[in-house]
Amino acid sequence: MWSESSRTQSEILGSRQVKHHRTMAGKLKTMLEHLDHFIEVLVLTRSVHVKDWDVLNVQRALEWGSYFQHVHHKFKYNVSLRNVIDDHLMVKNEELRVIMKNYQPITFNDLGKGKVILCMSLLQNNAVSIHVFKYLVELLRDSNSKDIESLGLHHIISQKVASDLFLSLPLLVFNEPFGNPVVTTQAEILKSSLEGRLKVLEDNQKLSVLSDVLVGISRPLVYHLIAAMLVSDNALSSQQQDMLSKLLLDWLLSNDVTWTGFCLNVSCGVLASLSFRCSKFRSAYLDKLCQLGGGMEQDISSGRWVSNAPALSFDGLIQHFRSLLKVSEDLKDSTLTRLQTLKSQDGDYDVPGISIWTDLLIEIHKS
C-alpha cells in the first residue's frame, strides 16, 4: 500500500515537473518571439519609415525597450538563459546582416539600454518628424542616465537643437541680405540637413519632406536661404544640377505665391545670375516678370505705371530687366526678344505712355 502510494506521488511530482518545463519553454518561446519583434522595431528606427511615426508609435516602441531592459536585468546572471538569448540574437543578427546593408547587430548587453538605443536611433534619423524629435528631447532633457552620456545623446540633441534654433533666427537687416555671413551659415546648415534627410528617402517622398522643412522657415528668410543654396558651387547649372537644387526649384515653382515672393525678395543680380545658369529658372523668371508687368496699370494723375503687387514698382521692374541684360549676350538677346514680342502684341506703339512694354524698352535702352 505504501509502495503504491509512493509511486502515485512520484508520478504526480513528475507530471508537475513536465508541466513546469513546458510552461517555462512556452514562456521562453514567447519572449524570443518578442525579441524578434523588438529587433525589427530597432531596425525601423534607423530607416526612412519613421517619417510616418507619431508620438504614439514612439511610446509603443519605448515600451518594448523597457520590457527588454527588464529581461536583461532579470537574466544577466542566469548563464543558461542568457546563452539561449545570445544564441537567438546571433541567428537573428546573421539573418538581417544578409538582407540589410550596414546592419548594426544587437547584443544581450544592448538590451539593458533598449530605450536609450531607440532614442539615439530616432534622434540620428533625419526622417523623423519635428514633433517626434521634440518629444524625445523633452523625454531625455532631465535625465542623468550614464547610458545617455555614454552614447553621446546630449551631444546629438544639442547639435540638432542648435541647428533648429539657428534656422529659426529672424533675418538680420542688411542692404543686401544675400552674401552676409549669417545667411550664408544658415544656408549651409539647411543644405546639410536637407541632404541628410533626402539621402534616406525614396524619390517620390523627397519633395514632400523638403516642403515640410521649408514651410517651417519664416519668410523672407527662406527665399534668401534657397537663393544661397542655388548659387553655391554652381549647383543650378544645367551641366551639374544636383538633386537638392532640382527639388528646391520644383518647390519654388509649385506655388505661384511662393515663386512671386522669391522673385520679389531676392536681389535682381542674384536672380539674373540664376537665370544665366539654368534655362528652366530663366524661363520661369521671365514669365513671372512679364506677368507682373502685364498686371500694371497707368496712373492717370502721375503718368506712371503702378502695380497691384505693392512690393514691385515700375522702377523695380525696370531694374529686374536691366539686370538680365548685363549677365550675358545670350540672356540679353532672349530678354529683348521677349519684350519686343510683347510690344508687338500690345499694338507695337513707339509713343510712350500707351503700352507698358514700349515704356520698358525705352527705359532699358537709356542705360
Side-chain angles (χ1 to χ4, degrees), residues 328-347:
S328 71
E329 285 299 317
D330 176 58
L331 193 51
K332 178 179 179 179
D333 290 343
S334 62
T335 302
L336 289 175
T337 299
R338 183 71 176 271
L339 288 174
Q340 289 287 357
T341 300
L342 290 169
K343 174 177 175 285
S344 297
Q345 292 173 347
D346 202 29

Side-chain angles (χ1 to χ4, degrees), residues 90-100:
M90 190 180 300
V91 173
K92 187 68 176 178
N93 285 331
E94 189 57 36
E95 287 178 4
L96 293 173
R97 190 182 285 110
V98 170
I99 62 175
M100 294 186 65

Side-chain angles (χ1 to χ4, degrees), residues 44 46-52 125 127 200-202 205:
L44 280 175
R46 297 162 182 165
S47 75
V48 66
H49 299 292
V50 295
K51 73 179 182 62
D52 298 319
N125 191 334
V200 299
L201 296 172
E202 300 294 334
Q205 301 168 329

Side-chain angles (χ1 to χ4, degrees), residues 254-317:
S254 66
N255 183 285
D256 188 62
V257 173
T258 300
W259 180 234
T260 303
F262 182 82
C263 293
L264 295 182
N265 282 278
V266 176
S267 73
C268 299
V270 172
L271 294 168
S273 176
L274 292 172
S275 297
F276 172 71
R277 300 178 188 199
C278 177
S279 58
K280 182 177 180 181
F281 187 98
R282 177 193 309 180
S283 176
Y285 178 43
L286 269 174
D287 284 346
K288 176 52 63 179
L289 291 181
C290 294
Q291 178 194 30
L292 292 170
M296 288 187 171
E297 297 178 352
Q298 195 172 53
D299 183 351
I300 303 299
S301 60
S302 66
R304 299 289 290 175
W305 294 94
V306 294
S307 172
N308 54 11
L312 183 67
S313 64
F314 181 66
D315 289 339
L317 186 63

Side-chain angles (χ1 to χ4, degrees), residues 44-48 50 121-128 160 200:
L44 280 175
T45 62
R46 297 162 182 165
S47 75
V48 66
V50 295
S121 297
L122 288 168
L123 286 170
Q124 289 181 307
N125 191 334
N126 287 315
V128 165
K160 288 209 170 192
V200 299

